[in-house]
Amino acid sequence: VYRSAFRHVGVRSDGEEATTTDSDRVSGYIRVQRPKTGGDVCTRQIALMIVITKVQSAPQVFAVFQGDISPDLLMAQLIDAVENYNQTRSIEKAAEMEQEQRSRLRELQEQEYLDSLQRDREKDEMKKIEEKEKQLKVETEEATLSSFEDLVPPEPDASTPSSDITFKLPSGERINRKFVHRTQLKVLSFFVGSKGYPPANFKLVQNFPKRQFDEDEMHLTLEDLGLTRREILYVEERD
C-alpha cells in the first residue's frame, strides 16, 4: 500500500484552496486541517492504494484503488483482486511445474544417453579384452601344440619294427600312428597333446584288457608295456 503522492487540498469557505504538509499524511488518508488564518474549511479525504505483486519474477501493478471509497467496496475490490491474483498465480505455477517436468525429462533423457554411451564403451572394451584373450589363447595353444610336436619323433618307415597304434579321441575321431618299439609311453602322450589333448588334462586307457596308464609308467617303452602289435588306446579326460 502506497500513500498518496498527490497534493492534498481542502477548500475554505471563501473558496480559496488550503494545502497540508507531509506531516499531515496518515496511511493514505489525508485530512485537511483548519488553516491558522481562520475561516471555515470544508474537508474531504483523498486516498490512493496500489497493489503490487510479482508476476514471472517481475514486479507488476495488480490493482489501483483511489478516491473516496467505502470500506465495503474497498474490501470487495481487494477480494476480487486477490482472487484474480490467485488465478494468475495458479496458471503461473502450472507453467512452472510443466517447465520443471520438461527439464527433469530432458535431464533424464540426457543421463540415459550418457549411460548408454558408457555401456557401449564398456562393451567395446570388454569385446577388445575378449578378443585379446582369445588371440592369446590361440597363440598359447598353437605354441603348446608346436612344442608337443617337437617332442614326437618322425614316424618310422615300413621296414622298421614298430607298433601300430590307433588313438580314439573324445571327439570320436580316430588317428592311426606308428611308433618304434623302444618309444617311451610319454611320447604317445605328447603325440595326443599335439592334437589338442594335453597330458595334464587327458590320459591313455587300454580297453582290452582294461588298463589305465599312470604317470609312473610314462618312462616305460611300448615293448616294456607289451604294446608291440596293433593296439587301440582311448584318450579320456582326467577326473
Side-chain angles (χ1 to χ4, degrees):
V1 177
Y2 285 74
R3 296 178 180 177
S4 174
F6 298 109
R7 189 163 64 97
H8 312 288
V9 301
V11 180
R12 300 196 317 187
S13 59
D14 57 2
E16 296 294 327
E17 186 179 87
T19 62
T20 64
T21 63
D22 290 339
S23 61
D24 296 322
R25 304 176 187 179
V26 180
S27 301
Y29 288 87
I30 309 303
R31 182 178 297 277
V32 178
Q33 303 296 329
R34 186 181 299 275
K36 295 180 180 180
T37 56
D40 296 333
V41 176
C42 180
T43 63
R44 66 182 179 181
Q45 294 178 332
I46 298 177
L48 175 63
M49 179 182 292
I50 301 175
V51 179
I52 298 178
T53 185
K54 284 187 176 181
V55 177
Q56 296 181 349
S57 302
Q60 179 175 323
V61 176
F62 205 82
V64 178
F65 308 100
Q66 62 183 2
D68 191 5
I69 183 171
S70 67
D72 292 340
L73 181 58
L74 175 61
M75 183 58 67
Q77 292 184 355
L78 283 174
I79 293 174
D80 184 60
V82 170
E83 291 178 351
N84 290 337
Y85 168 75
N86 289 336
Q87 183 179 4
T88 302
R89 183 57 183 154
S90 298
I91 296 174
E92 188 179 47
K93 283 185 176 180
E96 290 174 354
M97 291 181 62
E98 184 179 357
Q99 178 64 29
E100 184 178 356
Q101 290 176 353
R102 286 198 297 265
S103 298
R104 289 181 179 178
L105 179 60
R106 183 168 58 253
E107 291 176 358
L108 180 61
Q109 291 174 341
E110 290 177 353
Q111 186 61 45
E112 290 178 349
Y113 175 69
L114 294 176
D115 292 343
S116 176
L117 290 179
Q118 181 64 25
R119 288 193 296 269
D120 291 341
R121 285 193 292 267
E122 291 176 355
K123 287 181 181 179
D124 291 339
E125 291 297 328
M126 289 298 298
K127 186 176 181 179
K128 290 179 181 179
I129 293 174
E130 290 176 356
E131 290 177 352
K132 289 182 179 180
E133 290 178 347
K134 288 180 180 180
Q135 182 64 26
L136 180 61
K137 184 178 180 180
V138 170
E139 293 176 354
T140 302
E141 290 177 351
E142 290 178 351
T144 301
L145 295 178
S146 177
S147 64
F148 282 131
E149 289 176 354
D150 294 339
L151 297 174
V152 180
E155 190 171 9
D157 55 31
S159 61
T160 302
S162 59
S163 300
D164 191 351
I165 307 296
T166 298
F167 297 92
K168 188 172 182 180
L169 305 179
S171 63
E173 182 183 2
R174 289 173 176 264
I175 299 178
N176 184 261
R177 178 67 151 76
K178 292 182 179 181
F179 299 89
V180 295
H181 292 160
R182 62 178 181 274
T183 301
Q184 291 180 322
L185 183 62
K186 62 182 179 181
V187 175
L188 276 66
S189 295
F190 295 153
F191 174 77
V192 172
S194 69
K195 304 303 179 182
Y197 303 93
N201 300 326
F202 295 87
K203 60 187 177 181
L204 298 176
V205 177
Q206 188 178 25
N207 198 28
F208 185 82
K210 189 68 175 180
R211 182 180 183 183
Q212 176 179 315
F213 297 100
D214 300 323
E215 290 294 329
D216 56 359
E217 296 178 291
M218 290 294 110
H219 69 285
L220 299 178
T221 65
L222 297 179
E223 189 174 11
D224 295 334
L225 296 169
L227 303 175
T228 57
R229 298 182 299 275
R230 186 181 297 273
E231 304 288 348
I232 298 177
L233 296 180
Y234 293 83
V235 180
E236 296 182 358
E237 189 172 3
R238 295 184 181 276
D239 297 332

